[in-house]
């Protein structure tokens, strides 16, 4: 095992010389074998090892004994030790997620904290070749992205450094032979013997049959993983170039996409582009519960003939489509109604950041009014005036016609994004009659060329933007 792992470490440059390495150690055979291996090479590479152990508190006193065992082993080896007990069950119930996902979240948060404490750039974990086979099989079974089908990476970005897995080149049997040969003590977790978890069922019943038929199975799966990773690196670079036309805006927790150019791309680039955006939003830590089904649903939403729709992804990510714009955001989407008294003259600043200004002019010809202004005969305008959001059943008497039209229909006809309709300002008089839909439609209440005398001019300064000016239609 020593030779295989050493070659693998050098091939992928997993353990840099003169580095601080945090080693995730549960106390089981795999992690204790990894710790022994790294401890044996620390002087040659001038490594500082920090052992990190988390007690998930699933097994009461037994898991507490695991932590004490790891701590004692570190004291014997004169290694730095960081241990923590975390009530994962409470976290699981709070977040409404599975026990395995909750344990993973807590574990990696702890590892990150330890790395930052010691300024470590490497986190070493004890996954071996059999784990690689199990992971790829399970992802093929449940569905994943092509990157997901590549399984466990020998080295990947994490925090301000990398996660490395030196034991991927060897099997579980080789690990057990190594600990026996080197008299490495370890603890046994009885939960690994139970078939209540899918991974355990695959490990106990599927993997032995496959290994019997294909003795070098782990090597073939590792080779498959590496080929997928190489292909993905090339296609991701191509995707990033193509997606420059798709991304309209990109913030830390919010990305806005342009639907049209996305749908013109080849399907493989669509999928990879979505995956890249998800990686960005999830900060390269996509939840295990997010699968290929989510990507399929995303594409279906984009391809749908219906102009709007939404999806809810893990950890509160919302996917909101409105016409040819698609928003991915962790922000809570607000659609709170409002109503404000508009003084004459006066200014109202709205929750959206828009502002409505009212002024009295001695006269106003239509040709000098801007698109964001409307004028009303003071003598024929009922006050007080209000700025509010739309209400059920709202209708506007349109300028130049004898009829009225529902605001809902106007928003749809003018392709106003669904998210903006509930906060769009509407100007009404004391009788709740709609005087103006700023930037969209004018009403029959507006002043005409024949109007004589002072006029009320209302100006709308909007932070919201959309593609077409509709007022003059």
């Amino acid at each position: 095992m020593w030779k295989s792992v050493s070659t693998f470490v050098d091939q992928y440059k997993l353990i840099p010389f003169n580095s601080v390495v945090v080693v995730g150690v549960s106390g089981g055979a795999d992690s204790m074998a990894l710790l022994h291996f790294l401890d044996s090479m620390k002087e040659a590479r001038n490594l500082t090892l920090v052992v990190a152990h988390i007690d998930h508190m699933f097994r009461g006193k037994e898991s507490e004994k695991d932590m004490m065992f790891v701590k004692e082993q570190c004291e014997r080896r004169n290694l730095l030790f960081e241990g923590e007990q975390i009530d994962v069950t409470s976290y699981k119930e709070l977040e409404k997620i599975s026990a395995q996902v909750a344990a993973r979240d807590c574990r990696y948060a702890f590892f990150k904290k330890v790395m930052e404490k010691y300024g470590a750039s490497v986190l070493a974990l004890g996954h071996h070749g059999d784990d690689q086979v199990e992971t790829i099989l399970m992802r093929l079974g449940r569905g994943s992205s092509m990157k997901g089908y590549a399984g466990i990476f020998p080295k990947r970005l994490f925090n301000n450094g990398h996660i490395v897995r030196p034991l991927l080149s060897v099997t579980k049997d080789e690990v057990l032979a190594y600990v026996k040969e080197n008299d490495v003590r370890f603890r046994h977790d009885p939960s690994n013997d139970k078939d209540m978890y899918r991974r355990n069922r695959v490990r106990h019943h599927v993997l032995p049959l496959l290994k019997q038929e294909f003795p070098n199975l782990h090597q073939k799966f590792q080779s498959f993983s590496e080929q997928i990773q190489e292909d993905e690196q090339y296609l991701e670079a191509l995707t990033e170039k193509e997606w420059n036309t798709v991304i309209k805006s990109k913030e830390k927790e919010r990305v806005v996409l342009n639907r049209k150019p996305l749908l013109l791309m080849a399907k493989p680039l669509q999928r990879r582009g979505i995956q890249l955006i998800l990686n960005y939003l999830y900060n390269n830590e996509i939840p295990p519960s997010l699968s290929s089904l989510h990507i399929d649903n995303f594409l279906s939403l984009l391809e749908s003939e219906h102009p709007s729709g939404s999806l809810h992804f893990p950890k509160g990510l919302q996917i909101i489509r409105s016409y040819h714009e698609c928003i991915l955001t962790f922000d809570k989407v607000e659609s709170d109604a409002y109503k404000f008294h508009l003084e004459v003259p006066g200014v109202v600043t709205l929750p959206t950041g828009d502002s409505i200004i009212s002024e009295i002019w001695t006269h106003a010809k239509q040709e000098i009014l801007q698109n964001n202004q409307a004028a009303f005969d003071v003598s024929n305008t009922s006050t007080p005036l209000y700025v509010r959001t739309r209400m059920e059943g709202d209708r506007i008497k349109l300028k130049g016609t004898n009829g009225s039209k529902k605001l809902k229909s106007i928003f749809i006809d003018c392709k106003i994004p669904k998210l903006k309709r509930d906060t769009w300002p509407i100007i009404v008089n004391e009788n709740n009659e709609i005087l103006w839909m700023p930037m969209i439609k004018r009403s029959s209440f507006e002043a005409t060329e024949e109007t004589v005398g002072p006029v009320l001019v209302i100006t709308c300064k909007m932070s919201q933007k959309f593609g077409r000016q509709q007022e003059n239609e």
Side-chain angles (χ1 to χ4, degrees), residues 334-338 350-352 354 388-390 411 418-426 462 464:
E334 300 287 354
S335 59
D336 293 337
Y338 61 77
L350 305 177
T352 56
D354 307 335
R388 64 166 173 81
T389 48
R390 64 173 178 169
F411 278 128
K418 192 173 183 180
L419 284 176
K420 296 180 180 178
R421 297 174 197 169
D422 289 337
T423 56
W424 203 275
I426 308 296
M462 300 193 73
Q464 306 183 68

Side-chain angles (χ1 to χ4, degrees), residues 113-125:
K113 184 169 67 174
V114 176
M115 288 179 73
E116 291 175 348
K117 178 178 179 178
Y118 290 91
S121 59
V122 179
L123 169 63
L125 301 178

Side-chain angles (χ1 to χ4, degrees), residues 179-195:
V179 296
K180 183 177 181 181
E181 179 183 345
N182 292 278
D183 195 26
V184 178
R185 295 180 58 201
F186 62 90
R187 296 273 294 176
H188 178 68
D189 182 352
S191 66
N192 291 330
D193 299 330
K194 300 175 182 178
D195 281 351

Side-chain angles (χ1 to χ4, degrees), residues 390-401:
R390 64 173 178 169
M391 298 171 59
E392 187 68 30
D394 268 347
R395 303 182 73 93
I396 182 173
K397 295 178 181 178
L398 296 174
K399 185 176 182 179
T401 70

Side-chain angles (χ1 to χ4, degrees), residues 30-255:
D30 307 336
S31 60
M32 290 303 297
L34 173 63
L35 180 60
H36 184 276
F37 173 82
L38 294 175
D39 192 29
S40 301
M41 69 186 303
K42 72 176 182 181
E43 290 187 7
R45 295 198 175 225
N46 190 30
L47 304 177
T48 299
L49 301 183
V50 181
V51 175
H53 175 91
I54 180 172
D55 176 8
H56 301 99
M57 300 177 69
F58 284 147
R59 296 180 293 115
K61 289 293 183 182
E62 283 302 308
S63 62
E64 189 174 341
K65 288 179 181 178
D66 290 347
M67 185 168 72
M68 296 309 300
F69 166 78
V70 174
K71 183 178 181 182
E72 289 169 4
Q73 292 299 308
C74 290
E75 290 171 350
R76 290 184 182 182
R77 297 170 183 266
N78 197 29
L79 296 174
L80 295 167
F81 173 79
E82 290 288 333
E84 188 168 318
Q85 290 181 303
I86 299 178
D87 187 355
V88 177
T89 300
S90 295
Y91 174 78
K92 161 184 168 288
E93 293 171 354
L94 179 66
E95 297 294 325
K96 295 180 173 55
I97 53 180
S98 70
Q100 288 178 306
V101 172
R104 184 185 185 280
D105 286 352
C106 294
R107 186 162 58 248
Y108 279 94
F110 171 64
F111 289 152
K112 179 180 178 181
K113 184 169 67 174
V114 176
M115 288 179 73
E116 291 175 348
K117 178 178 179 178
Y118 290 91
S121 59
V122 179
L123 169 63
L125 301 178
H127 299 94
H128 49 70
D130 287 7
D131 291 325
Q132 179 75 289
V133 177
E134 294 166 9
T135 298
I136 293 175
L137 287 175
M138 290 177 64
R139 290 181 181 175
L140 286 169
R142 80 177 188 202
S144 184
S145 63
M146 287 305 297
K147 192 171 185 178
Y149 294 139
I152 305 171
F153 285 42
K155 183 178 183 178
R156 74 169 178 85
L157 291 172
F158 178 73
N159 201 27
N160 294 320
H162 293 86
I163 293 177
V164 301
R165 297 178 170 91
L167 304 186
L168 283 180
S169 59
V170 295
T171 65
K172 177 72 171 185
D173 289 341
E174 289 176 287
V175 170
L176 292 174
Y178 179 85
V179 296
K180 183 177 181 181
E181 179 183 345
N182 292 278
D183 195 26
V184 178
R185 295 180 58 201
F186 62 90
R187 296 273 294 176
H188 178 68
D189 182 352
S191 66
N192 291 330
D193 299 330
K194 300 175 182 178
D195 281 351
M196 62 185 294
Y197 299 117
R198 179 183 292 164
R199 183 176 284 274
N200 284 357
R201 295 194 293 272
V202 171
R203 178 178 300 161
H204 297 155
H205 306 293
V206 178
L207 197 56
L209 291 175
L210 288 173
K211 292 175 73 172
Q212 185 177 338
E213 292 293 331
F214 307 102
N216 295 322
L217 184 71
H218 74 287
Q219 295 177 0
K220 301 299 182 185
F221 268 68
Q222 184 59 35
S223 178
F224 169 78
S225 173
E226 291 168 7
Q227 290 174 27
I228 293 291
Q229 290 175 42
E230 290 170 359
D231 289 349
E232 283 302 295
Q233 286 175 0
Y234 170 76
L235 289 169
E236 280 186 7
L238 182 61
T239 302
E240 286 182 2
K241 181 180 178 181
E242 293 290 328
W243 268 60
N244 286 336
T245 61
V246 173
I247 300 174
K248 295 181 68 175
S249 65
K250 188 176 178 182
E251 301 170 19
K252 185 178 180 181
E253 294 191 337
R254 180 185 175 94
V255 175

Side-chain angles (χ1 to χ4, degrees), residues 344-345 358-363 376 378 454-457:
V344 181
S358 68
E359 303 170 286
I360 300 295
W361 293 7
T362 55
H363 66 280
F376 304 89
V378 170
V455 292
L456 166 65
V457 176

